[in-house]
Amino acid sequence: MTRIPDKHAQHASQQSLQQAAWAAAAAVPDPEIPVVTIADLGILRSIALDEEGCIVAQVTPTYSGCPATNLIQQMVLEALHEAGFENVRVESVLSPAWTTDWISSEGRKKLRQFGIAPPTETSNSKRALFGETLVTCPHCGSGETERVSEFGSTPCKALYRCLACREPFDYFKCH
Amino acid sequence: MYSQGLIGADGQTHEDAAFLAAFQARIDAEQKIEPNDPMPEGYRKTLVRQISQHAHSEIIGMQPEGNWISRAPSLRRKAALLAKVQDEGGHGLYLYSAAETLGVSREEMTEQLLSGAAKYSSIFNYPALTWADIGAIGWLVDGAAIMNQIVLCRCSYGPYARAMIRICKEESFHQRQGYEIMIALCNGSKEQKELAQDALNRFWWPSLMMFGPPEGDSVHSNQSMIWKIKRFSNDDLRDKFINASVPQAEKLGLTIPDSDLKWNEAKQGYDHGEIDWDEFWRVVKGDGICNRERLKNRRRVDRDGAWVREAAMAHAQKRRARMASARIAAE
Amino acid sequence: MSGTCETIMASNQTLFSYVLRLADDHLILSQRLGEWCGEAPTLEEDLALANIALDLIGQARALYAYAGQVEGKGRNEDQLAFMRYERDYQNLLITEQPNGDFAHTIVRQFFISAYMDPFWRRMESSKDEMLAAIAAKASKEVTYHLRHTSEWVIRLGDGTRESHERMVEALDDLMMFTGELFEMDAVAQEMLQSGVGVDASDLKAEWQHTVQTILQEATLELPKAGHMQTGGRTGRHSEHLGHILSELQYMQRSFPGLTW
């Protein structure tokens, strides 16, 4: 004899399902900076169950032209399959637009340890011409740094150099 | 991407024995050498040559792939290729900055590239003829580069080692994309699969050459090993690459163009056929189909951009002067 | 009943057309910028131009995908981007103009960015949710494009005599294509009235203000508006578009119907 689950139990089991799915998707590493996860970066927006019991993962691109977007969607799908979820869908949401403010403090710490200076809050208006953000060297901690290039190897990063220890390093720009 | 076995390293150095011994002790203790540390002149020169060759390779490497941006077969592939080429430029810039920590300027390095004095990876003197070449370059050329660079992550020079760690992660992403292009071709029509096989046929041997010739008893190479700039021989790395690539080719259903290739149970690796080192040296010395063109392009771009750089400098000077006079006026 | 249906059909067709032309603008411009790859005056600028091109191609992809959805005939982003004939592309003429020297590329990008910046900002409050979402992302990105090109306009205008002269020539050459930016044809009107589209004619004052402020700092002047060349929205292009398409479409035309 099967017991019909009451509404409350159903709700609770839904919640734990969602939590398990979140944990699986959240652990997916960023393809280009694998020391941080897509949850650290704020790219994974939500996990929900739709009416048909399908797990819906919502991800947002960092930049419109980010080449990793397709791969991230595929990786989320694979991670959820591996965690035992069969009925899964990944959706891309554009709004609200991703911002570096969504990078968690854990994510910032990991970036710094990897040698990438995390985004700093800046009072500089994004429209201000010839502006340069002050960035601390992730290697030696000195504030004496200069920008080499507004763009680095990926659109999200700028290249800086430390004037104290001379280390070149990437800065994850505010966006 | 694209470091290749170092060509023409000169490890000669003239410091006294006590200095060299103390330096070697640091190396042997796996301490990283940093820009402000004392170092033998030979060590510094070897690194400058290695890092700048690596940077030049990134810059020249933008050409064969850049050649396909306007013709990429889908928007997704176009965006990925554009991003990849941007990435290479970014790595070049990063590496120039890493070399600058050794007291050489980017202008000097650029001058050496343009004059033809500096070397870059010989693979870029082979043309990217079809779209499948973009897949093969990502799969094989990036694959070979990663093989080289993973060991460089443990190089004794701190800034270079750290640069390699970050660069390797991005390269792996490229390699995956390249292999994915190959998968799409091999799962596609008969003509697509033929394109893939043809690209493999043309890029296989030049990719093996990327590791450089066997060192034998080369003094320079030994010195690089002792200083832990280099940590594996060219042949060892080449073998690792072959062992990794053969199963990947099998998975694609493609044939490696080497009739002598066979599994050697005793060494748990593949034996391969003779590499045409005459071809390698011919291309390194300037007689590949694209050598002249690649350099001519760089020189033309440098010439065409001169007025822009001059204008930027002139403006920056005027700006500084204006700001200075505004300060004086305010005081 | 059938009347209502027809209205919806008609408005879908208009929305399709409206989204498609925006997509074409971004695709053609990114194709042009992509030609700079490895050719820029400095390595830093190579990265910057590639990045702008990447933003544009990303925006184009979102727009094509949406256009395909609106059309409802199962055409995906690639079929729309690659498999149409020359006269079917509806991009603005300025986007297809050749790169010329660096001054021409900068002026072209500056003119367009100074237009797209307020355009996307207004589009953020479109009644069409998808367009509003695309705009929210794009408007952040174009802010940067405008800043970057403004800096170059100032550097080149104020830099040397040569750079100044080249800028004057570029401004003269491209001015005639700016009138088209602010045109409101029937499609744009209908979209404006239904709360989906932006009133492009209303952006002119802001565009002029932005452009003139920067040009002034660059010691340059906006050329007098003479004859304004238009036609992109009806597929009457310059000769340049055909050559762009012959490269863009090469693979899809040579190997029709394959997956890459």
Side-chain angles (χ1 to χ4, degrees):
Chain A
M1 185 177 100
T2 34
R3 253 183 39 184
I4 299 161
D6 61 57
K7 273 226 162 113
H8 184 72
Q10 208 174 1
H11 181 70
S13 79
Q14 267 190 10
Q15 259 196 339
S16 69
L17 260 184
Q18 263 168 265
Q19 277 167 2
W22 175 272
V28 169
D30 178 80
E32 290 189 288
I33 316 173
V35 292
V36 287
T37 67
I38 58 169
D40 291 331
L41 290 176
I43 293 172
L44 181 65
R45 299 311 299 153
S46 70
I47 294 275
L49 264 175
D50 73 4
E51 288 129 26
E52 275 124 50
C54 179
I55 296 278
V56 185
Q58 289 199 319
V59 293
T60 187
T62 49
Y63 293 76
S64 295
C66 178
T69 306
N70 291 91
L71 183 57
I72 289 172
Q73 293 180 4
Q74 197 195 323
M75 286 163 85
V76 168
L77 210 61
E78 283 165 15
L80 288 168
H81 283 315
E82 265 171 48
F85 296 97
E86 277 168 22
N87 197 2
V88 175
R89 192 167 78 237
V90 181
E91 280 178 1
S92 173
V93 286
L94 296 177
S95 176
W98 180 82
T99 149
T100 41
D101 295 346
W102 294 351
I103 302 178
S104 66
S105 54
E106 180 65 21
R108 281 160 207 265
K109 209 171 90 190
K110 288 180 189 167
L111 285 173
R112 199 177 299 110
Q113 280 166 354
F114 187 56
I116 296 176
T120 49
E121 300 314 317
T122 167
S123 54
N124 268 355
S125 157
K126 296 212 169 72
R127 288 169 189 277
L129 299 183
F130 303 101
E132 240 180 78
T133 316
L134 292 177
V135 178
T136 307
C137 172
H139 186 56
C140 75
S142 165
E144 294 285 303
T145 63
E146 66 176 8
R147 190 174 75 194
V148 177
S149 173
E150 187 155 13
F151 285 94
S153 50
T154 57
C156 56
K157 292 180 298 192
L159 182 62
Y160 274 68
R161 109 170 86 228
C162 178
L163 300 174
C165 75
R166 288 150 80 183
E167 180 90 346
F169 65 89
D170 279 330
Y171 163 59
F172 203 118
K173 284 177 292 191
C174 256
H175 183 71
Chain B
M1 86 166 63
Y2 315 134
S3 74
Q4 91 176 355
L6 180 61
I7 300 164
D10 179 1
Q12 277 191 12
T13 204
H14 305 287
E15 290 78 7
D16 66 48
F19 178 85
L20 290 175
F23 182 75
Q24 193 60 46
R26 290 194 61 191
I27 299 276
D28 293 342
E30 296 289 333
Q31 283 178 21
K32 288 275 179 268
I33 307 304
E34 297 298 336
N36 296 329
D37 294 346
M39 63 185 85
E41 189 53 20
Y43 179 84
R44 195 188 68 83
K45 276 192 177 157
T46 304
L47 272 167
V48 166
R49 189 181 275 261
Q50 160 115 16
I51 302 174
S52 61
Q53 273 183 16
H54 193 165
H56 297 328
S57 300
E58 299 279 0
I59 301 309
I60 297 290
M62 294 167 79
Q63 290 185 37
E65 290 178 296
N67 155 51
W68 271 94
I69 291 173
S70 66
R71 291 176 293 168
S74 72
L75 292 182
R76 180 164 81 93
R77 297 288 184 210
K78 189 190 285 288
L81 183 59
L82 189 55
K84 184 181 183 217
V85 180
Q86 173 183 350
D87 212 289
E88 278 151 21
H91 291 165
L93 198 56
Y94 203 120
L95 288 161
Y96 281 129
S97 301
E100 282 183 312
T101 63
L102 292 157
V104 59
S105 73
R106 198 163 124 201
E107 289 70 29
E108 284 171 70
M109 291 184 275
T110 305
E111 185 41 49
Q112 284 166 358
L113 175 65
L114 296 181
S115 72
K119 298 287 178 223
Y120 57 84
S121 188
S122 55
I123 192 85
F124 302 117
N125 294 317
Y126 293 85
L129 300 178
T130 71
W131 172 251
D133 291 12
I134 299 304
I137 289 173
W139 170 37
L140 297 172
V141 177
D142 287 84
I146 291 170
M147 219 38 108
N148 256 335
Q149 290 171 189
I150 281 179
V151 273
L152 289 171
C153 294
R154 289 168 54 224
C155 165
S156 59
Y157 188 58
Y160 192 35
R162 288 187 292 272
M164 282 300 108
I165 291 172
R166 284 187 286 280
I167 287 177
C168 272
K169 303 287 187 200
E170 291 173 3
E171 300 283 339
S172 310
F173 177 56
H174 295 166
Q175 202 209 0
R176 185 170 171 158
Q177 286 179 327
Y179 192 66
E180 205 202 293
I181 291 177
M182 297 304 280
I183 293 175
L185 294 173
C186 292
N187 288 341
S189 70
K190 184 167 158 285
E191 51 202 334
Q192 281 176 305
K193 194 154 184 181
E194 280 168 7
L195 283 176
Q197 182 64 54
D198 172 60
L200 172 59
N201 293 349
R202 283 180 290 108
F203 275 91
W204 176 254
W205 292 104
S207 299
L208 298 191
M209 293 175 197
M210 283 176 70
F211 295 92
E215 291 105 331
D217 297 323
S218 153
V219 181
H220 296 155
S221 181
N222 280 343
Q223 185 59 65
S224 286
M225 295 276 249
I226 292 166
W227 277 333
K228 296 189 178 169
I229 293 172
K230 215 177 135 86
R231 309 199 68 138
F232 281 91
S233 76
N234 294 347
D235 279 335
D236 284 348
L237 288 171
R238 186 165 21 243
D239 284 345
K240 271 169 173 270
F241 172 71
I242 294 171
N243 293 341
S245 303
V246 173
Q248 290 168 345
E250 282 167 358
K251 222 172 132 185
L252 292 169
L254 297 177
T255 312
I256 303 268
D258 177 358
S259 54
D260 295 324
L261 186 85
K262 61 171 183 293
W263 178 256
N264 180 332
E265 190 62 30
K267 75 168 191 188
Q268 285 294 298
Y270 285 92
D271 291 331
H272 60 82
E274 197 72 37
I275 295 172
D276 185 352
W277 292 112
D278 290 341
E279 175 181 321
F280 172 77
W281 286 114
R282 177 172 59 77
V283 176
V284 164
K285 288 179 178 154
D287 286 330
I289 188 167
C290 299
N291 296 57
R292 283 176 180 78
E293 196 182 321
R294 301 286 189 237
L295 273 191
K296 271 196 170 175
N297 272 341
R298 270 332 295 172
R299 289 193 199 118
R300 175 180 50 77
V301 166
D302 186 68
R303 228 177 14 248
D304 289 353
W307 70 270
V308 178
R309 296 190 298 275
E310 279 160 24
M313 269 180 350
H315 169 70
Q317 264 166 14
K318 288 185 194 173
R319 194 175 185 80
R320 270 196 299 275
R322 266 181 240 136
M323 274 156 77
S325 59
R327 254 201 312 277
I328 291 164
E331 275 165 13
Chain C
M1 203 53 200
S2 70
T4 328
C5 256
E6 269 164 35
T7 322
I8 291 167
M9 292 288 283
S11 116
N12 255 0
Q13 183 53 42
T14 316
L15 178 60
F16 170 69
S17 181
Y18 190 68
V19 177
L20 190 66
R21 56 169 68 172
L22 257 180
D24 287 346
D25 289 342
H26 288 79
L27 174 67
I28 299 301
L29 187 57
S30 77
Q31 183 79 358
R32 275 293 188 219
L33 284 181
E35 293 169 16
W36 271 102
C37 196
E39 304 272 324
T42 66
L43 192 43
E44 288 84 344
E45 191 54 23
D46 233 319
L47 302 182
L49 290 177
N51 182 72
I52 296 175
L54 212 47
D55 284 343
L56 296 172
I57 202 171
Q59 291 156 10
R61 288 183 66 189
L63 291 163
Y64 280 126
Y66 183 48
Q69 212 180 307
V70 170
E71 189 193 33
K73 291 184 186 162
R75 285 205 279 182
N76 63 23
E77 57 174 36
D78 287 332
Q79 282 157 338
L80 288 170
F82 294 96
M83 300 302 281
R84 288 181 294 140
Y85 296 113
E86 186 174 347
R87 292 290 311 278
D88 299 331
Y89 283 79
Q90 296 169 36
N91 56 286
L92 295 163
L93 296 176
I94 191 169
T95 61
E96 70 199 37
Q97 296 312 303
N99 284 342
D101 63 4
F102 187 65
H104 279 78
T105 291
I106 286 298
V107 169
R108 185 184 64 199
Q109 198 65 35
F110 173 62
F111 277 167
I112 296 172
S113 304
Y115 168 75
M116 287 313 297
D117 182 53
F119 181 94
W120 284 127
R121 244 184 296 124
R122 292 197 191 187
M123 188 65 95
E124 283 184 64
S125 46
S126 167
K127 276 189 187 159
D128 184 292
E129 273 180 33
M130 185 54 104
L131 278 178
I134 293 171
K137 271 212 100 44
S139 91
K140 284 182 82 167
E141 289 158 354
V142 75
T143 303
Y144 163 73
H145 305 170
L146 178 57
R147 179 165 63 83
H148 184 78
T149 49
S150 297
E151 287 176 1
W152 272 116
V153 168
I154 294 168
R155 280 190 204 108
L156 297 179
D158 180 54
T160 62
R161 200 170 144 178
E162 181 182 3
S163 68
H164 185 91
E165 280 167 7
R166 284 175 184 263
M167 284 298 281
V168 170
E169 193 184 323
L171 288 165
D172 278 342
D173 287 348
L174 290 164
M175 188 64 196
M176 73 185 296
F177 298 108
T178 58
E180 197 180 29
L181 301 172
F182 310 103
E183 271 183 353
M184 289 294 286
D185 64 0
V187 168
Q189 283 293 356
E190 190 184 325
M191 286 294 102
L192 174 64
Q193 266 143 31
S194 57
V196 169
V198 169
D199 187 355
S201 64
D202 195 42
L203 302 177
K204 195 170 183 178
E206 183 172 347
W207 181 84
Q208 271 177 334
H209 177 74
T210 308
V211 167
Q212 267 161 349
T213 309
I214 298 297
L215 288 182
Q216 199 180 355
E217 199 178 333
T219 69
L220 292 163
E221 273 173 36
L222 190 61
K224 276 214 172 60
H227 168 71
M228 288 294 177
Q229 189 62 49
T230 69
R233 297 306 190 205
T234 51
R236 294 177 71 121
H237 293 278
S238 57
E239 286 175 350
H240 304 297
L241 183 69
H243 295 280
I244 294 177
L245 296 184
S246 66
E247 285 195 25
L248 178 80
Q249 300 184 338
Y250 161 66
M251 289 294 289
Q252 293 270 351
R253 295 290 187 197
S254 305
F255 304 92
L258 300 184
T259 307
W260 301 93

